[in-house]
Amino acid sequence: MQSTTKPYAESCDQNRAPILAVIAPLYAGRQRLLEIGSGTGQHGVHFAAALPELCWQCSDRADELPGMRQWIGEAALPNLPEPIALDVLRDPWPTPGFDAAFSANTAHIMPVEAVAAMFRGLGEVLAPGGLFALYGPFHEDGRPTSESNAAFDAWLRARDPAMGVRDRTWLLGLAEDNGFEALAEHAMPANNRILVWRRG
C-alpha cells in the first residue's frame, strides 16, 4: 500500500496566529464549525487545539483527505473529527446544524460557480445566526487593493483562467442572495482580509 507524503503549506504557519486572533472571540460560545477547503488540515489542527470547546469539522475534495488525515491523526484532538469529502459542486453537503463556518484562501482558487455553491451550501447547513468567516485577498469594486494582489491575480489567471482574486462587492451580494448579512471585516497582514457574515 503506497504511503501518502504528509503535506505542508508554509502559508498556514504564517497566517494562523493573526487569523486565530480574529476568530477566537468571533466563535466564542459556538459548538460546531464546518471548514470549507481545509487543504493540508494545518489550520484545523491549530485552531481546534486553541478552541477546545468548538468541534472543528474539516472538509475538502476527496483527493486532499489522505494527507489531511495525517495531520488530524497525529494531533488526536477530541474536537477534531475525521475529515469529510466535500466538493462544493458535486458532493452531498453534511447534515445541517453547524453554528459556524470558516474558509481560508479558497475563493480565488475556486471557479466562480464553486464560490456561489459554497454560499448556497452554507446557507443550508448553517443554523440561523450561524457565522461564516472567509479569509483571503479581495478586490475592491473591481480593482486590486495592492500591487501584490494585482500580481497574484495575474499569476492565478495565467495558471487557470477560472481562478482569480474575487471582488468584495460581488461576494457581499452573493452572501446576501443566500440569506447572509455582512457582520464585520478585518484587515489582515499581507493585504488579506477576513470577511464575516451572519446567517439570517
Side-chain angles (χ1 to χ4, degrees), residues 36-168:
I36 306 294
S38 302
T40 63
Q42 288 167 250
H43 273 160
V45 167
H46 185 72
F47 298 149
L51 306 169
E53 302 303 316
L54 179 63
C55 179
W56 192 284
Q57 178 64 68
C58 291
S59 75
D60 211 317
R61 294 175 303 178
D63 57 353
E64 299 286 347
L65 298 190
M68 195 189 309
R69 287 191 181 105
Q70 294 194 51
W71 282 93
I72 291 174
E74 289 177 9
L77 295 169
N79 61 325
L80 190 63
E82 177 79 5
I84 59 174
L86 180 58
D87 180 325
V88 297
L89 283 170
R90 297 177 178 85
D91 292 330
W93 282 71
T95 302
F98 294 91
D99 57 4
F102 174 78
S103 194
N105 290 325
T106 52
H108 55 266
I109 300 298
M110 295 175 171
V112 292
E113 58 267 26
V115 179
M118 174 171 66
F119 277 93
R120 283 197 306 272
L122 288 175
E124 295 174 359
V125 302
L126 274 180
L131 301 178
F132 174 38
L134 179 64
Y135 169 89
F138 305 105
H139 286 344
E140 186 72 39
D141 295 326
R143 297 185 299 274
T145 57
S146 67
E147 291 185 6
S148 63
N149 281 355
F152 183 51
D153 181 59
W155 179 82
L156 286 168
R157 294 180 188 278
R159 181 182 172 193
D160 184 340
M163 295 182 182
V165 175
R166 306 304 174 200
D167 188 80
R168 170 185 166 277

